[in-house]
Amino acid sequence: MKSERLHINEIFYSIQGESTHAGRPCVFVRLTGCNLRCKWCDTEYAFYDGRRMSIAEVAEIVVNYRCDLVEVTGGEPLLQEGVYPLMGTLLDTGKTVMIETSGASDVSKLDARIIKIMDLKCPGSGECERNLWSNLEHLGARDEIKLVIADRADYEWARDTIRARELAARVNAVLLSPVHGQLDPALLAAWILEDRLPARMQLQMHKQIWGADTRGV
Ligand code: SF4
């Protein structure tokens, strides 16, 4: 029995709303705490709220949902050391494990079986300086890079970064999301098409289904 405890914000079962896995039933384990403060953050409730749980408790709740796909998210899940044994336990139960991380924390120690969905922060987030570029060397064919776009300046930064760092060749998908309620998705779509950008546009499916302010979905 592993003894590490984790600060957990919420655990819930829903439809995966993002990535190439969008639409799949998924269990979400949201860890408390983040070292960034993106201007458009939609999970500020995860900065502090939560409770201490053992890895065994978390794993039991996840397993009881009887769902093959699990996403570990936050906040920033890599800030807690216990996330590593938690993900190891979940992998050992046969789950497909994804992690969503800000791109500011080192991903090199993650088990190769974990699907990494890694953000690159654009200037409009206010946290662009925190991108840990060495992380790109630790991404592979199953992983995905996500860029959240607030405006035209963000788009141009994303476009130039995708091209200069050949992001599409590194990962399964490069995902571009408009900031919900801030950037018209039709504009972003037009920019991607005009530039023939090797990227995959996405909208947050859970917000389309349940609305932007509903928690636990
Ligand atoms: S990294 Fe994620 S959780 Fe942290 S402030 Fe940015 S959007 Fe919010």
Side-chain angles (χ1 to χ4, degrees), residues 11 53-64 86 89-90 93 95:
I11 303 172
M53 297 176 72
S54 70
I55 288 167
E57 281 178 274
V58 176
E60 185 181 359
I61 292 170
V62 171
V63 167
N64 282 342
L86 170 65
T89 300
L90 295 173
T93 66
K95 303 294 181 194

Side-chain angles (χ1 to χ4, degrees), residues 120 133 136 147 155-167:
L120 280 178
W133 293 104
L136 294 180
L147 300 104
Y155 172 74
E156 291 182 3
W157 185 91
R159 178 195 63 198
D160 295 348
T161 301
I162 289 167
R163 288 175 175 164
R165 296 182 182 267
E166 299 179 330
L167 298 186

Side-chain angles (χ1 to χ4, degrees), residues 155 159 162-163 166-169 171-176 192 195-201:
Y155 172 74
R159 178 195 63 198
I162 289 167
R163 288 175 175 164
E166 299 179 330
L167 298 186
V171 290
N172 179 30
V174 178
L175 310 162
L176 260 57
I192 291 170
D195 286 332
R196 273 114 181 121
L197 201 63
R200 177 173 174 136
M201 182 167 162

Side-chain angles (χ1 to χ4, degrees), residues 109-126:
K109 287 191 292 172
L110 286 168
D111 188 303
R113 293 172 291 173
I114 295 168
I115 298 169
K116 297 183 277 295
I117 311 295
M118 196 192 84
D119 287 9
L120 280 178
K121 298 298 183 188
C122 298
S125 69

Side-chain angles (χ1 to χ4, degrees), residues 28-181:
F28 293 82
V29 180
R30 189 183 306 286
L31 274 65
T32 299
C34 188
N35 54 343
L36 304 191
R37 290 293 181 269
C38 303
K39 287 178 183 162
W40 37 253
C41 179
D42 58 2
T43 50
E44 291 176 322
Y45 57 86
F47 290 168
Y48 305 108
D49 297 345
R51 66 184 180 105
R52 300 272 166 197
M53 297 176 72
S54 70
I55 288 167
E57 281 178 274
V58 176
E60 185 181 359
I61 292 170
V62 171
V63 167
N64 282 342
Y65 280 116
R66 292 180 288 116
C67 176
D68 290 339
L69 184 65
V70 183
E71 178 175 300
V72 177
T73 186
E76 173 47 64
L78 291 177
L79 296 179
Q80 299 187 50
E81 275 299 313
V83 77
Y84 293 98
L86 170 65
M87 290 190 292
T89 300
L90 295 173
L91 286 165
D92 291 345
T93 66
K95 303 294 181 194
T96 299
V97 179
M98 304 168 65
I99 187 165
E100 175 146 7
T101 176
S102 69
S105 294
D106 179 19
V107 301
S108 66
K109 287 191 292 172
L110 286 168
D111 188 303
R113 293 172 291 173
I114 295 168
I115 298 169
K116 297 183 277 295
I117 311 295
M118 196 192 84
D119 287 9
L120 280 178
K121 298 298 183 188
C122 298
S125 69
E127 295 286 13
C128 191
E129 306 302 318
R130 304 292 291 276
N131 287 323
L132 189 60
W133 293 104
S134 58
N135 274 340
L136 294 180
E137 305 307 321
H138 303 291
L139 300 179
R142 301 165 73 233
D143 302 324
E144 306 184 12
I145 295 173
K146 173 179 148 186
L147 300 104
V148 178
I149 310 296
D151 53 24
R152 176 70 192 183
D154 270 4
Y155 172 74
E156 291 182 3
W157 185 91
R159 178 195 63 198
D160 295 348
T161 301
I162 289 167
R163 288 175 175 164
R165 296 182 182 267
E166 299 179 330
L167 298 186
R170 293 175 183 269
V171 290
N172 179 30
V174 178
L175 310 162
L176 260 57
S177 302
V179 175
H180 186 85

